[in-house]
Structure formats: structure tokens, C-alpha cells
Amino acid sequence: MFESLSERLSGVFDKLTKQGALSEADVSSALREVRVALLEADVSLPVARDFVKRVQEKAAGQAVTKSVTPGQQVVKIVHDELVHVLAGDEPEPGRLRVDNPPAPILMVGLQGSGKTTTTAKLAMRLAQREKKKVLMASLDTRRPAAMEQLQVLGLQIGVDVLPIVAGQTPIQIAKRAQSQAAMGGYDVYMLDTAGRLHIDDTLMDEVIQVRDACRPRETLLVVDGLTGQDALNVAEQFDGKVGVSGVILTRMDGDGRGGAALSMRAVTGKPIKFVGLGEKMDALEEFHAERVAGRILG
Ligand code: GDP
């Protein structure tokens, strides 16, 4: 993730830091290159534009051209702006509100986004790292294969899955998960909702009904990071209709550009909480803005 952006930016900043003194024209020309690099990384145009404008204003405000190490100072400003654009005011995005057991987590997203895989990855993480007792349930009543997939993953990672009962509606399953979680002393129960290939009213209505029935502590949207700008549209629509508390971007192992990740917070106002970096169950990483900004700037 971000490899190509990182390479482009290090080219720009190497030049800048090697140069001793900097004129305002040098800074402007470097920032033009930063803008191009962001756009090439598929960052949305308004986000790239605003980013460069903020850096420019800060650089002027701090009179970087008069400082002893002007190049480094510009890099520092870019770093801070990257953290801001990635995270807003959310310093610890991966921390989930899972107190007051049993805490429901609603997993939403389109079919094929990696929702079921991510549900299991997150369940494993909560169980192993945070020592939570986790129950998973699939609400995908239209796709028996998806329900079975969750059963298989549960066995694989040693996390309990609500038994499948034929003929139940998603709300009935959600209620059964809730009572089983309460009776069984679970800390968290995760509801893997049905996906569709495209957003439609039936999908949204179903998710809204489940949300109202179980009042989730977290509603996590799983989006395919490889879909770039489309990922932002999906996030805006889900957030507008259902309300999401955070985003998990999958397939970031296959995305050297990372534009969706860079634009998500600014475009949707929602924090990226985790990123999926592969098919394996442990390929889920907390999204730390500081760490990511550091990685981008090398
Ligand atoms: P769902 O339809 O949204 O539940 O999607 P699935 O969980 O079944 O995932 C679809 C495919 O994407 C599966 O083959 C997963 O192994 C794969 N997948 C999920 N997350 C990631 C990821 O972060 N990286 C990669 N490379 N593959 C992923």
C-alpha cells in the first residue's frame, strides 16, 4: 500500500532537502509535484487540492524559506497534513467500543468486498489480543454458502458461530445471536449482514432493520480498497442510509496507490479503523495515521 506514492514523494523531497536555501518558487513547484503525485495515487481531486493548499498556507505562515533547514520543514508540514487527512482527530482508530457485554458489532458492505473474511479476522483479533469471548453470526439468508463460509472460518480460528437454523429472517437470527451472547457470557457478538453486488433499497432496508433491532455498538463498513473512488461512493451511501462508525478497507495488499485510504476520512468523515492486507486470518492491521504517514514519507 502506498508504494508508488511513497516513491514519487521521496523523489520530490530528496531534491528539496538537498537544496540548502529555498525560494518560494521552489516550494510552490515542489507542492505542484506533490499534487500530481496525490492525483496519480487516485486521491480524489478536492482532497488533493485542499491538501496542497493547507501545506502551502502553513509553509508561508512558518516562513520556511527563511529557516535553516527549509526542506525538512516542508516535509514535516506534509507529514502533519498527511496525519490530519488520514485520521482527523482519531488518534487510535483501531480501538473498538466493545465494553458493556455483550456488545453487538454490525458488519456491512457489498458482496465480494471481503466482509465475511474480515468478520472472522476481526473476531480472531478480539479473541486473541483482547481476550474477548466472541460469537459470530451470519445473517445472509439468501446465500447458504456465505453462512457455511462463516462456520468454516469460525472452526478454523476457534471462535464460536451461531448455529444455522433454516427459515429464519435476518432479524430473527440477530435476536437469537443477542440472546445466545447474553446467556453464554459473550463479550462481543458480530453480525455479518448480507451483501449485494450493488447498493439497492432491499439491501439497505434489511440492514437498517437489523441495526434497529440490535443497536450495534460499532457498525463497520467493509469496502474493497482496490475500487478506488468507488469505495468512497459506497462509503458515502452506506453512511447516509445506515450510519457507519468506521471503515475497513480490504485488499490493500494489492493496491500500491492507496488513494481510497487517503481520501476516505476527508470525503466521508469516517475513520478507517483497519486495513486488510491479504487472505490469511492474521492479515488485518490497525490503521495508524502516524505510522502510515511515516511509511509514505519513507
Ligand atoms: P464477502 O462476499 O464480502 O463476504 O467476501 P469474502 O469475505 O467472501 O471475500 C471475497 C474474497 O476476497 C475471498 O477470496 C477473500 O479471501 C478475499 N479477501 C478478503 N479480504 C482480503 C484482503 O484484504 N486481501 C486480499 N488479497 N484478499 C482478500
Side-chain angles (χ1 to χ4, degrees):
M1 143 171 92
F2 304 118
E3 293 85 358
S4 50
L5 176 62
S6 176
E7 209 170 296
R8 282 293 304 264
L9 291 183
S10 71
V12 178
F13 293 133
D14 278 354
K15 236 182 340 181
L16 211 62
T17 41
K18 277 195 192 109
Q19 228 168 313
L22 287 184
S23 68
E24 272 173 32
D26 293 329
V27 176
S28 294
S29 121
L31 291 182
R32 261 198 306 277
E33 285 182 57
V34 169
R35 181 166 177 267
V36 173
L38 290 173
L39 293 176
E40 277 178 6
D42 201 25
V43 173
S44 91
L45 179 61
V47 175
R49 211 186 271 152
D50 191 47
F51 182 92
V52 168
K53 191 167 149 249
R54 289 175 63 112
V55 173
Q56 200 134 29
E57 282 167 5
K58 269 198 184 170
Q62 296 177 14
V64 291
T65 49
K66 295 195 181 67
S67 89
V68 196
T69 52
Q72 264 113 318
Q73 208 163 323
V74 174
V75 177
K76 165 86 172 71
I77 295 172
V78 169
H79 172 274
D80 293 349
E81 277 311 309
L82 274 175
V83 173
H84 174 79
V85 81
L86 287 167
D89 306 318
E90 200 102 14
E92 286 190 279
R95 194 146 292 281
L96 300 175
R97 281 165 295 172
V98 287
D99 43 345
N100 290 343
I105 299 183
L106 192 63
M107 304 294 289
V108 302
L110 293 179
Q111 190 177 318
S113 59
K115 186 162 39 60
T116 301
T117 310
T118 305
T119 302
K121 285 178 176 178
L122 193 54
M124 188 178 93
R125 191 185 169 92
L126 287 168
Q128 292 184 354
R129 294 207 191 187
E130 301 193 26
K131 308 288 172 228
K132 300 283 186 199
K133 188 174 177 194
V134 184
L135 177 70
M136 302 190 288
S138 171
L139 311 190
D140 200 343
T141 50
R142 280 178 208 80
R143 289 170 62 234
M147 294 188 132
E148 278 152 29
Q149 186 190 352
L150 196 67
Q151 302 281 334
V152 171
L153 290 172
L155 273 179
Q156 190 186 324
I157 60 175
V159 167
D160 294 341
V161 184
L162 191 74
I164 298 172
V165 174
Q168 286 202 317
T169 64
I171 293 189
Q172 285 170 329
I173 302 173
K175 294 230 162 107
R176 190 156 53 89
Q178 190 173 34
S179 58
Q180 171 132 351
M183 285 188 312
Y186 287 88
D187 298 302
V188 178
Y189 63 102
M190 303 183 66
L191 302 174
D192 182 16
T193 60
R196 298 272 197 292
L197 290 174
H198 303 286
I199 291 176
D200 61 43
D201 290 342
T202 325
L203 166 68
M204 287 301 182
D205 288 347
E206 186 177 302
V207 175
I208 288 167
Q209 283 176 21
V210 172
R211 178 201 67 191
D212 293 346
C214 77
R215 298 164 161 269
R217 205 69 50 75
E218 297 275 358
T219 300
L220 301 177
L221 172 69
V222 179
V223 219
D224 181 348
L226 283 183
T227 58
Q229 302 283 321
D230 239 12
L232 305 175
N233 296 335
V234 169
E236 282 192 301
Q237 293 199 48
F238 266 95
D239 189 42
K241 296 238 160 83
V242 184
V244 305
S245 56
V247 176
I248 302 180
L249 278 180
T250 60
R251 300 209 179 83
M252 294 307 282
D253 47 315
D255 184 11
R257 304 197 294 168
L262 278 159
S263 313
M264 186 61 75
R265 185 75 170 81
V267 171
T268 67
K270 297 297 160 181
I272 297 172
K273 291 192 175 270
F274 295 93
V275 286
L277 291 166
E279 299 198 57
K280 295 221 180 89
M281 283 295 109
D282 60 358
L284 184 76
E285 223 176 66
E286 238 171 62
F287 191 78
H288 271 291
E290 283 277 351
R291 224 178 282 163
V292 171
R295 211 187 283 172
I296 291 175
L297 292 176

